[in-house]
Amino acid sequence: MTFLSATLDRVKPSPTIAVTTKAAELKAAGRDIIALGAGEPDFDTPQNIKDAAIAAINAGKTKYTPVDGIPELKQAICAKFARDNDLAYTPAQVTVGTGGKQVLYNAFMATLNPGDEVIIPAPYWVSYPDMVLLAGGTPVTVEASLETKFKITAAQLEAAITPKTKWFLFNSPSNPTGAGYSWDELKALTDVLLRHPHVWVMTDDMYEHLAYGDFRFCTPAQVEPKLHDRTLTVNGVSKAYAMTGWRIGYAAGPEVLIKAIRKVQSQSTSNPCSVSQWAAVEALNGTQDYLAPNNAAFVRRRDLVVAMLNAAPGVVCPEPEGAFYVYPSIAGCIGKTSAAGRLIDTDETFATALLEETGVAVVFGAAFGLSPNFRVSYATSDVALKEACQRIITFCEGLT
């Protein structure tokens, strides 16, 4: 009889957290480290949001709240969906959790049975498959490619659906690639889903407001209203509002599903932080004026990183439509040897050698389900990005 749960054998620790931890350890030991692994804006939380949290503390709003969100926040979320996405929801169709990750996990725990399949386009956020596995389901990955700009096609989705498919998990703009599906590209996918009424749709729209240039964000239930009653639209305040540590995510969907999610949350964490909820009310209802200048900074950083990485021998870096990541291919580096004598046979060995030899921390592509690539988060200063990219160029120039 073993002490630890056999379920844990199905999952692995988060590679992004592992990279961030390793970089922090090296920095603490005195190494000059530039960490490009964490998906976290370097901007401070806007002052109006911090003021709302302080006001909540001073007003004594520090007690337990309803399990899945205060009424004021649910109303703000309904207003946001109507304003930004043309989606109509009532507060009874809204759930608030401790970050978007908990909302996704709650939904899987509330719906998955052994044998149920969840279609996940790859590259994917590292946690998606493991959340499915923890909930007893089976992740089914569908690989996109550099040639399709890291977006799957309608034909691929059609081929992946089986009688066991319960969910299609969709993320645009994407972590790790920054790829964003246009209205027409998404409509092609929703047309497939209309032909398979047993398949529900779970969208991770966390990077909605981080969309650049001519790209315009859209979400499945907005593109195809007929999917409204079998779609869980997930979002949060972490990325756009620089509130990663406040831990507020939310979702809207059919009331029967929201009730099931509430039941899971009631027996796990109970309510999200009360003060964070009041801060999120202000984030959604208050001024949005800082989104545009923040996005302008991200565009500038994206353009810098894309240009410099494409100057690195063996690296091909496509330009993403949104989020704050790039996902360059290192196919031209595989099989070569680093200046320190390390054979680069996988993207993991590339990332390890890059960290140890240059002090630049990135996340290897296998963690996201598609190799040989690596992910860079450009949510850090221009100065740090320029220095990191120059080190990557020098590292690649030294490969033989």
Side-chain angles (χ1 to χ4, degrees), residues 342-355:
R342 184 188 294 268
L343 175 64
I344 307 301
D345 54 351
T346 65
D347 50 32
E348 185 170 4
T349 58
F350 177 94
T352 299
L354 185 69
L355 177 58

Side-chain angles (χ1 to χ4, degrees), residues 214-226:
D214 294 332
F215 174 68
R216 295 294 176 264
F217 172 83
C218 53
T219 195
Q222 176 186 21
V223 171
E224 180 46 76
K226 293 177 183 176

Side-chain angles (χ1 to χ4, degrees), residues 56 79 91 158 186 188 239 246 286 318 376 400:
E158 184 83 59
L186 186 47
K239 310 301 183 179
W246 298 77
V376 165
T400 57

Side-chain angles (χ1 to χ4, degrees), residues 251-326:
E255 190 170 350
V256 63
L257 174 59
I258 298 302
K259 286 181 177 178
I261 289 173
R262 184 184 306 126
K263 182 185 290 188
V264 173
Q265 190 158 308
S266 72
Q267 296 293 4
S268 54
T269 62
S270 295
N271 66 272
C273 171
S274 61
V275 174
S276 295
Q277 289 187 65
W278 285 105
V281 171
E282 175 61 23
L284 296 178
N285 286 346
T287 179
Q288 308 291 299
D289 289 347
Y290 41 76
L291 295 180
N294 286 0
N295 276 15
F298 281 136
V299 169
R300 184 182 67 248
R301 295 169 178 182
R302 178 198 66 176
D303 293 347
L304 182 156
V305 169
V306 169
M308 291 193 71
L309 290 182
N310 276 320
V315 176
V316 176
C317 183
E319 180 181 277
E321 289 90 352
F324 38 66
Y325 309 105
V326 293

Side-chain angles (χ1 to χ4, degrees), residues 113-318:
N113 296 306
D116 287 344
E117 296 175 350
V118 178
I119 296 174
I120 305 173
Y124 46 69
W125 180 40
V126 295
S127 294
Y128 290 155
D130 290 298
M131 285 192 287
V132 172
L133 290 167
L134 278 170
T138 301
V140 176
T141 57
V142 178
E143 284 194 7
S145 66
L146 186 66
E147 291 68 33
T148 60
K149 298 182 178 179
F150 301 122
K151 292 178 273 192
I152 67 166
T153 65
Q156 286 180 292
L157 177 59
E158 184 83 59
I161 294 174
T162 75
K164 295 181 179 180
T165 305
K166 179 160 282 185
W167 287 102
F168 169 53
L169 178 53
F170 180 77
N171 176 217
S172 168
S174 159
N175 176 5
T177 67
Y181 287 73
S182 70
W183 186 284
D184 290 342
E185 289 168 335
L186 186 47
K187 184 63 169 65
L189 298 182
T190 60
D191 284 348
V192 171
L193 295 165
L194 286 177
R195 295 195 290 271
H196 299 277
H198 69 290
V199 180
W200 283 55
V201 186
M202 189 182 303
T203 76
D204 181 350
D205 295 349
M206 194 63 67
Y207 298 92
E208 169 185 4
H209 291 299
L210 304 178
Y212 314 129
D214 294 332
F215 174 68
R216 295 294 176 264
F217 172 83
C218 53
T219 195
Q222 176 186 21
V223 171
E224 180 46 76
K226 293 177 183 176
L227 292 176
H228 185 278
D229 292 339
R230 53 184 171 106
T231 298
L232 183 70
T233 302
V234 183
N235 211 314
V237 297
S238 294
K239 310 301 183 179
Y241 301 101
M243 295 176 66
T244 49
W246 298 77
R247 306 311 301 136
I248 294 291
Y250 58 84
E255 190 170 350
V256 63
L257 174 59
I258 298 302
K259 286 181 177 178
I261 289 173
R262 184 184 306 126
K263 182 185 290 188
V264 173
Q265 190 158 308
S266 72
Q267 296 293 4
S268 54
T269 62
S270 295
N271 66 272
C273 171
S274 61
V275 174
S276 295
Q277 289 187 65
W278 285 105
V281 171
E282 175 61 23
L284 296 178
N285 286 346
T287 179
Q288 308 291 299
D289 289 347
Y290 41 76
L291 295 180
N294 286 0
N295 276 15
F298 281 136
V299 169
R300 184 182 67 248
R301 295 169 178 182
R302 178 198 66 176
D303 293 347
L304 182 156
V305 169
V306 169
M308 291 193 71
L309 290 182
N310 276 320
V315 176
V316 176
C317 183

